[in-house]
Amino acid sequence: MFHVKHGKDKSMELKDTVNMMLSDDYKERFKGEYYQLLIRRNRLKDMLDRWEKDELSFTPNCSKTLLCTQLTQMELLLGSLMLRAKDEDIIL
């Protein structure tokens, strides 16, 4: 799983990306988009892992298949963003 660290071993949360998303610098906004997607991907993966172990405290309204498809699409987009970051010299 991809991990997002922020500061001294503190995991980055969505709220930590707000300033990036509001930046006038497109590279900062790009980083914000990337980190938001990464955080959401990690949360979805964690939920699916817990579902597989029957450890969820709720019953999802949609199918596991649909959520797995969403996870795959998120991972594909992350890959595209990483390639674009490399091309545009954006350090993630």
Side-chain angles (χ1 to χ4, degrees):
M1 180 186 299
F2 301 100
H3 293 285
V4 184
K5 293 294 182 185
H6 181 67
K8 203 95 156 137
D9 294 321
K10 177 183 175 250
S11 291
M12 185 180 284
E13 298 177 18
L14 287 173
K15 66 182 179 181
D16 299 320
T17 66
V18 171
N19 288 337
M20 285 182 250
M21 294 303 293
L22 297 175
S23 175
D24 290 332
D25 179 1
Y26 85 94
K27 288 185 177 186
E28 281 301 302
R29 289 192 309 274
F30 181 92
K31 289 178 186 180
E33 177 184 353
Y34 174 81
Y35 291 130
Q36 284 184 7
L37 179 60
L38 186 57
I39 292 164
R40 288 183 170 103
R41 179 260 179 220
N42 288 346
R43 288 181 180 173
L44 178 58
K45 175 76 169 91
D46 179 60
M47 188 198 83
L48 286 168
D49 289 345
R50 287 184 290 121
W51 194 354
E52 192 65 32
K53 297 175 189 173
D54 200 29
E55 295 175 351
L56 286 183
S57 60
F58 65 98
T59 302
N61 291 325
C62 58
S63 71
K64 193 182 294 184
T65 301
L66 178 59
L67 293 173
C68 287
T69 299
Q70 179 181 346
L71 180 65
T72 299
Q73 295 299 318
M74 293 169 97
E75 290 173 341
L76 288 170
L77 180 53
L78 281 169
S80 295
L81 291 175
M82 286 189 285
L83 290 173
R84 181 177 164 205
K86 183 178 178 190
D87 286 350
E88 296 190 25
D89 295 318
I90 299 172
I91 298 170
L92 298 173

